[in-house]
Amino acid sequence: MHRSSEVKHLASDFNTRACECFGQPPVQPFESHCPVLTDRTVRVQLKVLKVKDGSVFFIRVKPDRTGVVTDGVKHSMNPFCEIAVEEAVKLKEKKLVKEVVAVSCGPQQVQETIRTALAMGADRGIHVEVSGKDYETLGPLQVSKIFAALAKKEQADLIILGKQAIDDDCNQTGQMTAALLDWPQGTFASEVTLEADKLKVVREIDGGLETIKINLPAVVTADLRLNTPRYATLPNIMKAKKKKITNVKPADLGVDVSSRLEVLKVDEPPQRQSGVKVETVHDLVEKLKEAGRI
Amino acid sequence: LFFIYCCIERISWRLQKTKALLDHTNTLSLNLTELTDQQKEFQEVARKFAREEIVPAAPSYDKSGEYPFPLIKRAWELGLMNGHIPEDCGGMGLGIFDACLITEELAFGCTGVQTAIEANSLGQMPVIIAGNDAQKKKYLGRMTEEPLMCAYCVTEPGAGSDVAGIKTRAVKKGDEYVVNGQKMWITNGGKANWYFLLARTDPDPKCSASKAFTGFIVEADTPGVQPGRKELNMGQRCSDTRGITFEDVRIPKENVLIGEGAGFKIAMGAFDKTRPPVAAGATGLAQRALEEATKYALERKTFGKFIAEHQAVSFLLAEMAMKVELARMAYQRAAWEVDQGRRNTYYASIAKAYAGDIANQCATDAVQIFGGNGFNSEYPVEKLMRDAKIYQIYEGTAQIQRLIISREHLGKFKQ
């Protein structure tokens, strides 16, 4: 990896950021990962995640506490993935990349999300079929293995993913994919510029903004302020029907999707307790002392 | 009159049924529970646009009454407008079913914006069903090249439901028609680039309605066309509604649709295609009322419980839900019937009548659920109540719809 500067990363609460950005409670995992492979022939691998739609009001934990109820809950493309698609399509419009390929892993329904990516401007799609039990346990490690295998097979030059899924907030797939391929990575990108054969990435970090230059091929993960995703217009949706989506199985790529993680239990966050209003700073200090906080 | 109307319709429907329709609709069977992938995607775009862009902007447009051109332009860019325009004129040739799905979503955002957009479809429909190739290319083509508006000019101060009673006169003089008269309540009247105009060409009062009227396409900048002031209405206030005076307006004979005397049938024929979208708009408003009321009922507490937990309120919500679902099924049936190439007058009238009525009921119930807050302009539901009323009036009043339904029903019964 080529880095012109190094910055120490501070811990931050990505969960909160996701909430602030989208004004919705954190949604529970139900991912279908779709990295965007971009290539000078460009393959933009879209992490097209189907996450629960923001307008859903309540997420309920399943009675057996193994997860959340997903039946009948609407899923749509992960917002960070939309930003990734948009960036890829922008690069293609600037004629810096030749082809944008949208990839998604999951059951039949992810084809809808791939179609949305095609309607936004991707050239073709790859649907990696993972369904049933395998899909429920599909995590960043398995997905990044799939992406790495696909990147090699398709000879991608650039992989763009959303930085994290808003349902599980793992924030791992991009980094793992880069590690598996031994490629440089530009994560939390808020600006991406192609300079000759290097990629200049401005990254959002807790201390501010960090600018790095990395060699291609590389992995980039998209952060919120990278761009504003376009709507898929109705004429483009109709044109997207003619674009190809190829089906692939993880086994064809030599990837084992069995999970090494076991979910022990899933609980709702504790009910928010009401607060107490105090009159003076002195009262506040007293109360905090009473509660053993200071 | 009724019999003639029937016969002619069969011919004109055949002319309209294009390959595009078959591609776009659920062809062999009406599947109300599962839309096609493309329909879902269209609906998704419309929904996203409505909720993210129309909903936040609607209250200020309602207050100011300003024409929502930025929103209309955006809808045009996304392909949400002018869906009916045939593909050879640069449009998408969507069926009525798909158009209705989009309309319902837009109406959810703001029915004022949706009406401004829908008026385009109403104005274009006579040209789509009855225009010759030159007319279609000229007047429909320009709508796809830039975001222009058009209007349907039939109603007059003295004749609304009684279309046969319109008095605007068109007199043939050489290669032109000279038009004099007064139109009223024309949506997009002040913003249109061209109008579909219905005028009386046969002065003989004994002449039957099916032969006395002619349909024209009138360029809005023709000398003598004078739009009046923007009317201040109860609801859908951002939609531009005006009276229009025609004073010695000269229309070239090339702008006559089909021929002299064919106007009435064209004007009425347009309704079978535009009533389902209007019903869809009313359903969108009712859906909005239901969602706002539900959200509020799950937040507001009285007597120690969320008001949604009181049966009085939950029953109100249940009835609103019943009405919304049924209205949706009604407009979908009406839209599907016409997309199959069948005469859908019966279903279109039922859908429009029902949806208009329930939109008003749901909006009123939503205000009720909000209580005192509902009456206040800081909350979104009072606007819904004001906006809903017009759905029982325009595009055929609730009473006219009942006339049509009873006529169709009795006609079927007598066979």
Side-chain angles (χ1 to χ4, degrees):
Chain A
M1 204 190 320
H2 216 76
R3 298 184 75 143
S4 51
S5 72
E6 269 199 30
V7 177
K8 187 157 181 284
H9 289 264
L10 305 166
S12 67
D13 187 358
F14 290 111
N15 229 8
T16 321
R17 276 173 82 180
C19 290
E20 283 162 17
C21 301
F22 304 105
Q24 60 193 247
V27 285
Q28 296 300 316
F30 197 67
E31 296 179 350
S32 73
H33 294 265
C34 219
V36 173
L37 299 168
T38 50
D39 200 283
R40 281 315 177 92
T41 40
V42 188
R43 280 194 327 148
V44 176
Q45 214 162 13
L46 299 175
K47 184 179 187 188
V48 182
L49 265 185
K50 284 188 82 73
V51 294
K52 291 182 196 61
D53 192 79
S55 60
V56 172
F57 293 117
F58 296 112
I59 305 294
R60 293 191 322 278
V61 175
K62 280 200 257 195
D64 60 5
R65 293 162 92 221
T66 55
V68 288
V69 176
T70 54
D71 287 337
V73 177
K74 189 164 175 304
H75 290 71
S76 50
M77 198 192 291
N78 184 39
F80 293 113
C81 295
E82 280 180 359
I83 298 173
V85 179
E86 176 64 24
E87 197 58 26
V89 172
K90 272 204 168 93
L91 286 171
K92 188 175 120 175
E93 286 173 346
K94 289 190 201 141
K95 301 223 194 314
L96 298 169
V97 293
K98 263 211 316 231
E99 192 192 21
V100 175
V101 178
V103 180
S104 191
C105 308
Q108 190 57 26
Q109 292 92 309
V110 305
Q111 294 228 354
E112 273 174 43
T113 342
I114 301 179
R115 289 257 169 244
T116 310
L118 293 175
M120 283 170 74
D123 296 300
R124 59 185 169 92
I126 299 177
H127 172 202
V128 182
E129 290 171 15
V130 180
S131 44
K133 263 264 120 225
D134 282 339
Y135 185 60
E136 278 172 43
T137 55
L138 194 68
L141 183 58
Q142 293 79 11
V143 175
S144 43
K145 283 185 188 163
I146 293 173
F147 290 172
L150 266 175
K152 288 208 195 93
K153 182 157 166 263
E154 299 266 345
Q155 293 178 309
D157 277 330
L158 180 57
I159 301 182
I160 308 184
L161 307 85
K163 70 170 182 181
Q164 67 198 54
I166 63 168
D167 54 12
D168 63 8
D169 286 328
C170 282
N171 197 317
Q172 294 166 7
T173 312
Q175 292 86 337
M176 285 179 176
T177 312
L180 287 168
L181 290 165
D182 198 24
W183 285 7
Q185 53 183 270
T187 52
F188 310 109
S190 66
E191 210 181 296
V192 173
T193 339
L194 208 55
E195 286 180 1
D197 57 349
K198 294 210 204 298
L199 208 62
K200 186 174 97 173
V201 181
V202 176
R203 308 178 54 231
E204 288 193 10
I205 58 173
D206 293 322
L209 295 173
E210 182 198 34
T211 309
I212 59 170
K213 239 190 207 151
I214 53 178
N215 289 332
L216 289 169
V219 173
V220 169
T221 69
D223 206 326
L224 186 68
R225 280 157 280 268
L226 183 56
N227 58 47
T228 310
R230 66 193 63 191
Y231 286 99
T233 69
L234 263 55
N236 282 347
I237 291 174
M238 282 171 60
K239 284 191 207 130
K241 285 206 303 199
K242 301 197 183 77
K243 296 184 184 173
K244 234 172 139 316
I245 299 181
T246 33
N247 290 331
V248 167
K249 291 207 178 40
D252 299 340
L253 300 165
V255 173
D256 168 25
V257 287
S258 53
S259 177
R260 298 177 199 177
L261 299 175
E262 188 196 326
V263 173
L264 294 175
K265 72 172 163 108
V266 174
D267 273 330
E268 280 173 9
Q271 281 277 14
R272 201 192 149 136
Q273 302 296 324
S274 56
V276 174
K277 255 182 157 167
V278 291
E279 295 293 306
T280 68
V281 173
H282 185 258
D283 288 343
L284 177 62
V285 170
E286 284 303 311
K287 282 250 178 310
L288 286 172
K289 279 191 180 150
E290 264 174 49
R293 299 289 186 191
I294 52 170
Chain B
L1 173 67
F2 177 67
F3 176 70
I4 297 165
Y5 181 54
C6 261
C7 268
I8 296 166
E9 272 198 297
R10 223 166 272 140
I11 301 166
S12 67
W13 293 149
R14 215 181 53 211
L15 291 171
Q16 296 152 46
K17 195 172 173 189
T18 61
K19 177 176 175 299
L21 286 178
L22 293 168
D23 285 340
H24 296 306
T25 61
N26 301 313
T27 40
L28 294 175
S29 60
L30 174 58
N31 191 342
L32 287 174
T33 49
E34 200 59 43
L35 302 173
T36 66
D37 282 343
Q38 184 177 270
Q39 285 168 337
K40 281 189 212 158
E41 285 175 57
F42 284 179
Q43 194 184 45
E44 215 23 71
V45 178
R47 182 167 294 184
K48 186 169 174 198
F49 173 66
R51 286 165 204 237
E52 289 180 15
E53 298 199 30
I54 302 183
V55 166
S60 72
Y61 279 117
D62 180 59
K63 266 207 184 78
S64 67
E66 190 193 330
Y67 195 66
F69 194 66
L71 287 174
I72 292 176
K73 182 155 180 284
R74 197 80 183 94
W76 181 86
E77 284 166 8
L78 294 175
L80 296 170
M81 268 172 75
N82 303 330
H84 310 290
I85 294 181
E87 289 179 81
D88 59 11
C89 298
M92 287 192 293
L94 291 184
I96 304 294
F97 192 96
D98 289 7
C100 283
L101 291 176
I102 296 168
T103 305
E104 187 191 332
E105 298 298 333
L106 295 180
F108 181 98
C110 173
T111 44
V113 175
Q114 180 264 323
T115 293
I117 294 175
E118 196 56 39
N120 257 23
S121 300
L122 183 56
Q124 290 161 10
M125 207 50 80
V127 182
I128 294 174
I129 62 178
N132 60 38
D133 283 336
Q135 289 164 336
K136 281 197 224 187
K137 284 248 156 50
K138 183 170 181 192
Y139 292 102
L140 300 178
R142 63 169 75 163
M143 308 296 282
T144 57
E145 279 158 28
E146 36 170 337
L148 297 172
M149 309 308 286
C150 65
Y152 180 90
C153 250
V154 170
T155 303
E156 295 183 359
S161 296
D162 183 16
V163 176
I166 64 170
K167 300 243 171 346
T168 302
R169 280 281 284 126
V171 179
K172 187 132 197 259
K173 287 212 166 99
D175 277 347
E176 288 176 330
Y177 286 84
V178 179
V179 176
N180 279 284
Q182 174 84 37
K183 295 292 182 187
M184 191 57 181
W185 308 127
I186 307 304
T187 307
N188 284 340
K191 307 286 174 192
N193 175 270
W194 54 268
Y195 307 110
F196 164 74
L197 173 74
L198 192 71
R200 194 177 183 107
T201 33
D202 190 325
D204 181 1
K206 291 206 206 65
C207 180
S208 78
S210 62
K211 292 204 190 72
F213 300 95
T214 306
F216 300 91
I217 305 172
V218 185
E219 300 261 8
D221 58 6
T222 312
V225 175
Q226 293 156 26
R229 62 144 195 225
K230 178 184 148 85
E231 296 293 337
L232 299 168
N233 290 326
M234 179 174 136
Q236 296 191 9
R237 302 189 61 228
C238 64
S239 172
D240 183 278
T241 317
R242 296 179 196 240
I244 306 181
T245 309
F246 290 82
E247 200 173 308
D248 289 331
V249 176
R250 311 180 98 80
I251 308 174
K253 69 174 189 324
E254 290 75 33
N255 280 18
V256 169
L257 286 164
I258 297 186
E260 217 178 283
F264 192 78
K265 161 202 88 190
I266 301 170
M268 297 298 105
F271 282 145
D272 282 344
K273 298 209 145 195
T274 54
R275 272 184 190 145
V278 172
T283 310
L285 185 151
Q287 177 71 33
R288 177 83 187 271
L290 176 59
E291 277 191 33
E292 295 286 353
T294 311
K295 250 196 281 189
Y296 186 82
L298 291 166
E299 284 167 5
R300 175 85 179 180
K301 277 188 157 177
T302 42
F303 301 107
K305 295 202 268 198
F306 290 114
I307 62 173
E309 294 171 65
H310 294 297
Q311 253 184 5
V313 173
S314 67
F315 277 20
L316 271 178
L317 290 170
E319 283 168 16
M320 284 165 80
M322 282 157 63
K323 291 166 184 167
V324 170
E325 294 294 336
L326 293 173
R328 187 168 294 133
M329 288 200 255
Y331 84 67
Q332 289 185 341
R333 175 71 186 268
W336 180 77
E337 287 283 333
V338 75
D339 284 341
Q340 297 305 300
R342 293 198 279 266
R343 187 164 174 280
N344 74 333
T345 313
Y346 176 70
Y347 293 105
S349 285
I350 288 178
K352 200 268 174 184
Y354 187 70
D357 289 349
I358 63 105
N360 276 277
Q361 291 162 17
C362 290
T364 311
D365 288 344
V367 171
Q368 190 65 25
I369 290 175
F370 270 70
N373 287 337
F375 201 64
N376 180 269
S377 51
E378 301 273 310
Y379 292 80
V381 285
E382 58 84 26
K383 172 178 182 287
L384 298 179
M385 220 177 127
R386 289 185 285 110
D387 287 349
K389 191 57 197 156
I390 193 64
Y391 280 109
Q392 287 176 310
I393 300 172
Y394 68 16
E395 198 95 13
T397 59
Q399 288 68 36
I400 288 292
Q401 302 302 341
R402 282 159 171 79
L403 206 63
I404 297 172
I405 297 165
S406 58
R407 195 176 58 199
E408 295 283 316
H409 169 71
L410 292 169
K412 277 200 278 196
F413 221 75
K414 285 179 188 157
Q415 279 169 15

